[in-house]
Amino acid sequence: MIERNEENYRIESQLAQIGSVHEPKTGAINFPIYQATAFRHPRLGQSTGFDYIRTKSPTRSVLEEAAAGLEQGDAGFACSSGMAALQTLFAMFGQGDHLIVSLDLYGGTYRLLERIMSRFGVTASYVDTNDFDALESVRTPRTKAVFIETPTNPLMMITDIEKVASWAKVHGILTIVDNTLLTPFFQRPIELGADIVVHSATKYLGGHNDVLAGLIVTKGKQLSEEIAFLHNSIGAVLSPSDSYQLMRGMKTLALRMERHQYNAIRIANWLLEHPAIDTVYYPALEQHPGYEIQRRQSTGNTGIFSFRLKNAAYVEPILRHLKLIAFAESLGGVESLMTYPAVQTHADIPQEIRDQIGVDDRLLRFSVGIEHVEDLIADLEQAIQAARVEVEDKGHE
């Protein structure tokens, strides 16, 4: 028999102990990978609790229980990707249902809503979720949920989760929060009133750019049962080996998030003073419009931010001259990555919306890794300087 420790430990201890169980027969510290797809029934009408891998598997169950505990929810669901997690959630909605969604939104989420969910009659309105007049103006009798990214990707807009969740409850609307960028180590939306939390676990939770996964955490028995039905029926579940890999990454989440935050704050402040930089979007900076909300509802800051160059001509040579920092999509891993949102992560967002929110041809997004901060600054400095020299030389031709 495997016994789990139910002590109310702090989150750092909970993370380090994910998958660590008291198993008297072997004394194994880490939970094993059960690759079985089917499980023997003791007799007709009896079950060990595991029947078929799509419905439930031992390794995935340990991960899901850990996720629910970290987010202070009632049930967790591990999916084959962040987008699979969103598809599972959005399957709650059908013909005529309406969603209110963060204006500054990850392009993949926008694509899922506009090009796939629209086929099933689900509509969405995109607004600044801190603007209650805007929320009210788009709310209809068929509005079923408000979907919030906070911070948003890539412009790091902050939403007051508690206020929006309170507003939503008055109107019988679910509050869903994408907590990918802060993780439960820095922010726990369910404690602030959210009904559902979703993660692209590929990012900070996995943390090493080596596993594709998504997580859903729900609050409430009825909602948990509904997502369990959809999770099993759709079948976009996480494999045992990927479940183990994700748990392994999550064990060091506390250490990594502290370092991501430290590096990001140092670099963001350095960029603020750089003559080639126009604007830095990072909620840890006092001049950020969401600074006070972020301080109130979170215990720290993410390791990702965006910055706008003064000259769009700098973009290509900066990306080409980076050495330590990789020009690559994704975020949240130990390695630093830089992305050009307008043509990569947000290419599916219509031009008029990108222009409205500021995802333009001068914006770069930086996922700050855990390398030495002075090495990262030096790499940025040499890349920016090389770009300025190139652009200036072309101007003299």
Side-chain angles (χ1 to χ4, degrees):
M1 178 180 177
I2 295 174
E3 300 174 357
R4 290 175 175 81
N5 197 322
E6 300 297 332
E7 295 287 344
N8 188 26
Y9 292 121
R10 292 173 176 83
I11 192 167
E12 292 88 347
S13 300
Q14 294 177 49
L15 287 163
Q17 291 288 325
I18 290 175
S20 179
V21 296
H22 299 290
E23 198 275 288
K25 186 173 181 179
T26 68
I29 295 297
N30 285 308
F31 199 78
I33 301 173
Y34 284 86
Q35 292 286 19
T37 59
F39 301 86
R40 189 188 304 273
H41 299 289
R43 59 190 301 173
L44 185 64
Q46 291 186 359
S47 170
T48 63
F50 300 98
D51 303 307
Y52 181 58
I53 188 173
R54 172 166 43 79
T55 305
K56 188 178 182 183
S57 73
T59 311
R60 193 176 84 231
S61 292
V62 172
L63 168 63
E64 291 170 337
E65 290 172 13
L70 292 167
E71 287 284 10
Q72 295 298 297
D74 293 322
F77 306 91
C79 302
S80 53
S81 69
M83 297 312 301
L86 289 177
Q87 175 66 79
T88 301
L89 285 181
F90 292 157
M92 288 192 293
F93 311 114
Q95 183 68 41
D97 288 343
H98 173 252
L99 308 178
I100 301 174
V101 184
S102 293
L103 179 62
D104 180 26
L105 187 70
Y106 169 57
T109 307
Y110 181 89
R111 180 177 61 234
L112 176 60
L113 288 168
E114 293 300 315
R115 297 182 63 180
I116 298 176
M117 295 308 301
S118 61
R119 300 177 187 177
F120 304 100
V122 177
T123 60
S125 298
Y126 304 89
V127 302
D128 177 352
T129 46
N130 261 333
D131 184 340
F132 283 85
D133 289 336
L135 289 171
E136 282 291 353
S137 71
V138 299
R139 182 178 63 84
T140 78
R142 294 304 302 269
T143 300
K144 301 298 183 182
V146 55
F147 180 89
I148 301 166
E149 281 188 19
T150 183
T152 60
N153 173 11
L155 292 174
M156 312 305 292
M157 297 167 66
I158 304 298
T159 293
D160 190 321
I161 298 171
E162 190 168 21
K163 284 187 177 180
V164 173
S166 296
W167 172 84
K169 279 181 171 58
V170 168
H171 298 292
I173 298 170
L174 292 173
T175 301
I176 305 171
V177 179
D178 186 329
N179 200 30
T180 297
L181 298 190
L182 281 174
T183 81
F185 182 67
F186 281 144
Q187 179 173 271
R188 286 175 291 282
I190 287 174
E191 291 182 351
L192 298 168
D195 301 289
I196 302 173
V197 172
V198 62
H199 289 269
S200 173
T202 309
K203 311 304 193 296
Y204 286 109
L205 293 180
H208 294 80
N209 291 317
D210 61 0
V211 63
L212 180 68
L215 287 175
I216 302 167
V217 175
T218 51
K219 186 69 176 178
K221 184 175 185 290
Q222 183 176 344
L223 192 57
S224 299
E225 289 176 350
E226 183 172 5
I227 297 301
F229 170 78
L230 293 170
H231 191 227
N232 178 53
S233 299
I234 292 170
V237 300
L238 197 62
S239 72
S241 56
D242 284 340
S243 296
Y244 180 89
Q245 188 92 332
L246 181 54
M247 285 192 283
R248 189 168 186 263
M250 288 169 66
K251 285 175 175 285
T252 60
L253 180 67
L255 297 172
R256 290 187 285 104
M257 291 306 293
E258 291 283 10
R259 184 57 176 262
H260 286 303
Q261 175 183 231
Y262 171 81
N263 283 355
I265 290 172
R266 285 280 308 277
I267 297 168
N269 277 293
W270 176 79
L271 285 170
L272 278 177
E273 306 300 322
H274 199 287
I277 307 303
D278 181 57
T279 314
V280 180
Y281 299 91
Y282 189 47
L285 301 175
E286 290 188 17
Q287 58 268 50
H288 190 284
Y291 175 76
E292 290 299 333
I293 298 174
Q294 175 79 350
R295 287 188 65 191
R296 185 168 67 249
Q297 69 185 15
S298 308
T299 58
N301 285 278
T302 184
I304 181 177
F305 63 83
S306 295
F307 60 96
R308 179 170 286 109
L309 298 159
K310 289 184 177 178
N311 189 339
Y314 294 160
V315 169
E316 191 281 328
I318 285 176
L319 296 174
R320 176 162 36 85
H321 283 285
L322 290 172
K323 297 176 181 177
L324 180 62
I325 302 162
F327 172 33
E329 297 186 39
S330 198
L331 60 94
V334 294
E335 302 92 353
S336 291
L337 307 177
M338 191 168 291
T339 301
Y340 190 32
V343 300
Q344 292 181 292
T345 57
H346 288 67
D348 284 300
I349 304 287
Q351 183 71 48
E352 60 270 22
I353 296 180
R354 295 205 306 267
D355 291 343
Q356 179 185 353
I357 62 177
V359 181
D360 60 20
D361 62 354
R362 293 187 289 136
L363 190 77
L364 290 172
R365 191 191 74 186
F366 188 13
S367 175
V368 183
I370 65 169
E371 302 93 342
H372 196 288
V373 68
E374 296 298 340
D375 291 334
L376 293 172
I377 289 173
D379 193 32
L380 276 174
E381 175 60 32
Q382 66 82 23
I384 294 172
Q385 182 58 28
R388 295 175 77 188
V389 170
E390 281 193 22
V391 171
E392 184 177 330
D393 287 345
K394 285 182 180 179
H396 291 154
E397 291 176 357

